[in-house]
């Protein structure tokens, strides 16, 4: 519910992002850590995009989706980390109201798109491992383009309604956001409007965007693991398990943190833990994805050698 004592205060024109809530003595260290993460993330994912585009041997459905994921991770990281790094350098942690809503819009769109894209990639791997004789007939160019486009479009459409609801809330009181980027629940916490509908819709949309893709992804990998167990060669089983387990770990970390923040009932006391969870899916996942999904693959290693 809205807080009546805020009604007569000045309308907020900018927000202050408190980032991770660390003390000034840790600012330099955190800046260096996140700068390194951002550099590796952008370099690694850009390199994957270049490899996939330029190398004919990587013009397959798997690497087409991987290239899409790498592009998404570049946008994802660039939506959050540059502003955060700049705030540590300049000491200015303010962001305009329009800039805040814009950051939230693209963050939500890209997060939802990643859920759908990871599910698409898991389905591609399921067909390749469990239905190899029908793989080429099912996963043709038309279907690849359709699945990739559906992932991007669904992601961008799903967050439009949330951004509309939150941007139409009234902000007339405190303007300090206890987070390192503009997110839905920290923003709603500052509103002097009734946020019950916006909070409910946020949880529903987050559940729709994350739970079905997670179940599809998890089911696909379960079928893959069952198929791999039946491989007669011990070396083949170890190699397949190594790749599948790495993918599954990244997927579980990503979805677990998303679900913990947006789908579980929200309480103010969760803010510190929510920031920790948010680091997983906004900063660490884009860093790890290029390493897990590509550098362990034989085709990518051969392309790098060439």
């Amino acid at each position: 519910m809205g807080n009546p004592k805020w009604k007569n205060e000045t309308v907020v024109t900018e927000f202050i992002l408190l980032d991770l809530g660390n003390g000034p003595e840790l600012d330099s260290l955190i800046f260096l850590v996140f700068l390194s993460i951002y550099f590796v993330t952008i370099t690694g994912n850009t390199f994957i995009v270049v490899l996939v585009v330029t190398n004919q041997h990587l013009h397959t459905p798997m690497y087409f989706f991987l290239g899409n994921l790498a592009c998404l991770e570049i946008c994802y990281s660039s939506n959050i980390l540059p502003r955060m790094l700049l705030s540590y350098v300049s000491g200015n942690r303010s962001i305009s109201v329009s800039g805040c809503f814009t950051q939230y819009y693209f963050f939500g769109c890209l997060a939802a798109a990643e859920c759908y894209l990871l599910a698409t990639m898991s389905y591609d791997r399921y067909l390749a491992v469990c239905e190899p004789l029908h793989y080429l007939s099912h996963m043709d160019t038309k279907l690849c383009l359709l699945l990739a486009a559906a992932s991007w479009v669904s992601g961008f459409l799903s967050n439009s309604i949330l951004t509309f609801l939150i941007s139409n809330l009234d902000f007339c009181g405190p303007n300090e956001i206890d987070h390192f980027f503009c997110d839905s629940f920290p923003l709603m916490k500052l509103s002097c409007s009734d946020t019950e509908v916006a909070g409910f819709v946020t949880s529903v949309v987050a559940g729709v965007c994350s739970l079905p893709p997670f179940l599809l992804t998890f089911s696909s990998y379960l079928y893959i693991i069952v198929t791999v167990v039946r491989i007669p060669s011990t070396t083949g089983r170890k190699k397949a398990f190594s790749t599948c387990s790495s993918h599954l770990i990244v997927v579980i970390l990503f979805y677990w943190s998303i679900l913990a923040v947006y789908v579980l009932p929200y309480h103010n006391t969760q803010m510190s833990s929510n920031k920790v969870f948010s680091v997983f899916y906004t900063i660490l996942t884009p860093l790890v994805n290029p390493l897990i999904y590509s550098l362990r693959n034989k085709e990518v290693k051969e392309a790098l050698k060439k």
Side-chain angles (χ1 to χ4, degrees):
M1 296 296 291
N3 193 333
K5 71 179 182 179
W6 290 350
K7 291 295 183 180
N8 295 324
E9 297 196 18
T10 306
V11 175
V12 169
T13 58
E14 66 177 18
F15 293 112
I16 307 296
L17 287 164
L18 300 182
D19 292 331
L20 296 176
N22 50 283
E25 65 279 358
L26 294 177
D27 283 357
S28 298
L29 176 60
I30 292 179
F31 170 78
L32 291 175
V33 170
F34 284 152
L35 179 63
S36 301
I37 289 175
Y38 184 59
F39 176 77
V40 174
T41 299
I42 298 302
T43 303
N45 284 289
T46 301
F47 201 53
I48 289 172
V49 173
V50 172
L51 276 179
V52 171
V53 171
T54 59
N55 194 295
Q56 292 290 331
H57 296 291
L58 300 183
H59 290 181
T60 63
M62 174 183 174
Y63 293 104
F64 170 73
F65 293 129
L66 180 60
N68 275 266
L69 182 64
C71 288
L72 189 148
E73 301 294 24
I74 292 171
C75 299
Y76 203 27
S77 295
S78 299
N79 183 48
I80 294 174
L81 279 175
R83 190 226 61 85
M84 187 177 177
L85 292 170
L86 183 62
S87 72
Y88 279 114
V89 173
S90 64
N92 180 11
R93 302 192 176 184
S94 64
I95 183 171
S96 67
V97 171
S98 59
C100 190
F101 291 143
T102 300
Q103 185 187 56
Y104 168 67
Y105 172 70
F106 283 105
F107 154 72
C109 293
L110 293 168
E114 181 159 1
C115 290
Y116 294 124
L117 195 54
L118 288 174
T120 299
M121 294 175 70
S122 69
Y123 176 66
D124 171 71
R125 290 299 84 205
Y126 161 76
L127 288 178
V129 175
C130 303
E131 303 286 343
L133 298 179
H134 304 287
Y135 177 70
L136 292 178
S137 60
H138 288 330
M139 195 60 69
D140 56 12
T141 302
K142 183 178 179 180
L143 181 60
C144 289
L145 292 173
L146 182 62
L147 289 174
S151 298
W152 284 93
V153 172
S154 299
F156 275 79
L157 288 178
S158 63
N159 201 47
S160 298
I161 185 172
L162 298 182
T163 306
F164 175 78
L165 287 174
I166 294 174
S167 63
N168 278 279
L169 295 174
D170 294 322
F171 296 92
C172 45
N175 66 338
E176 292 186 342
I177 301 176
D178 189 12
H179 216 319
F180 59 90
F181 69 98
C182 293
D183 201 2
S184 55
F185 288 124
L187 275 169
M188 284 187 278
K189 184 181 176 183
L190 299 181
S191 175
C192 48
S193 303
D194 187 344
T195 61
E196 186 174 350
V197 172
F200 174 75
V201 174
T202 298
S203 294
V204 170
V205 172
V208 170
C209 291
S210 57
L211 279 174
F214 171 73
L215 293 176
L216 176 60
T217 303
F218 190 70
S219 301
S220 297
Y221 277 114
L222 281 181
Y223 278 108
I224 291 172
I225 290 173
V226 170
T227 303
V228 168
V229 169
R230 298 172 180 172
I231 296 177
S233 168
T234 304
T235 304
R237 283 199 303 270
K238 287 182 178 179
K239 181 180 178 181
F241 265 125
S242 175
T243 303
C244 291
S245 61
S246 300
H247 293 183
L248 195 56
I249 289 171
V250 173
V251 166
I252 289 175
L253 284 175
F254 176 76
Y255 280 110
W256 166 67
S257 53
I258 286 278
L259 294 173
V261 172
Y262 298 103
V263 180
L264 296 179
Y266 178 79
H267 302 287
N268 290 338
T269 54
Q270 290 180 329
M271 185 55 65
S272 297
S273 60
N274 281 358
K275 285 196 284 188
V276 174
F277 290 141
S278 298
V279 170
F280 278 101
Y281 63 79
T282 60
I283 297 176
L284 297 184
T285 301
L287 171 69
V288 174
N289 268 337
L291 301 176
I292 295 298
Y293 281 94
S294 62
L295 296 184
R296 297 175 66 91
N297 291 330
K298 181 179 178 181
E299 293 87 350
V300 174
K301 290 180 180 178
E302 290 179 352
L304 285 173
K305 292 177 181 178
K306 294 180 180 179

